[in-house]
Amino acid sequence: MAIYTLPELPYDYAALEPVINPQIVELHHDKHHAAYVKGANDTLEQLEEAREKDAWGSINGLEKNLAFHLSGHILHSIYWHNMASPKDGSGGGEPTAADGVGDLADAITESFGSFAKFKAQLTKAAATTQGSGWGVLAYEPVSGRLIVEQVYDHQGNVGQGSVPVLVFDAWEHAFYLQYKNQKVDFIDAMWAVVNWQDVAKRYAEAKDRTPLITP
Ligand code: MN
């Protein structure tokens, strides 16, 4: 029985135009994200089989696959909701108190000095990923601050316990059909689809959780 399921997109394939074209959104969700969901479920089955047979020859590969596919599923599930249409005013801009996301705006200023400095850091982290990866804004529960992470694949280079609240997919499958090799142009364009209401909701929920450890 499948433990993980592919969530539906919160909009149609064309909703993110002109920043991301419909063909990319369709392939990215229906094929790539779906493959991570299947990979996570398949790996859990293989681990169950290993426990039943007490056969641990593949344990290293299985644990690596679990981290990869599960993290891919989680990051993509956040990614779709982190974005909104750039055409109707629901995506893009900056978080402000006037839009009801003042807590997030304040946290960004406290953690990075200013919105502009934060934007520069996340843009740079996402655009300079080596191979495949993500640029991530995460809530770090020990300090209670926001940090930027440059994630390798889906699961590497991550601080344990940090909670992703805004994720930029920098894998080639996220942009190549439209932006070719211009990853910097794609990441620059991504700011026009950021759904700050969703980011603020994730930030508030992450902050409300029980602290991971005593600071
Ligand atoms: Mn992706």
Side-chain angles (χ1 to χ4, degrees), residues 28 71 75 81 107 136 172:
H28 198 170
S71 299
L75 285 176
H81 287 272
V136 171
E172 286 186 346

Side-chain angles (χ1 to χ4, degrees), residues 10 12 22 27 39 152 161 165 177 193:
D12 63 48
L27 285 169
Y152 301 155
V165 297
L177 286 172
V193 292

Side-chain angles (χ1 to χ4, degrees), residues 120-191:
Q121 185 176 342
L122 180 52
T123 298
K124 198 55 104 174
T128 61
T129 49
Q130 296 173 319
S132 299
W134 298 71
V136 171
L137 173 67
Y139 177 73
E140 195 289 289
V142 178
S143 65
R145 291 164 63 88
L146 293 163
I147 58 172
V148 164
E149 297 177 318
Q150 186 183 55
V151 177
Y152 301 155
D153 290 337
H154 303 305
Q155 77 278 29
N157 212 30
V158 172
Q160 292 288 344
S162 63
V163 182
V165 297
L166 172 62
V167 301
F168 283 3
D169 192 337
W171 282 55
E172 286 186 346
H173 67 224
F175 65 89
Y176 214 86
L177 286 172
Q178 185 175 352
Y179 293 83
K180 306 296 191 292
N181 59 323
Q182 301 301 314
K183 183 156 67 173
V184 173
D185 291 349
F186 168 61
I187 299 300
D188 280 340
M190 276 296 298
W191 292 97

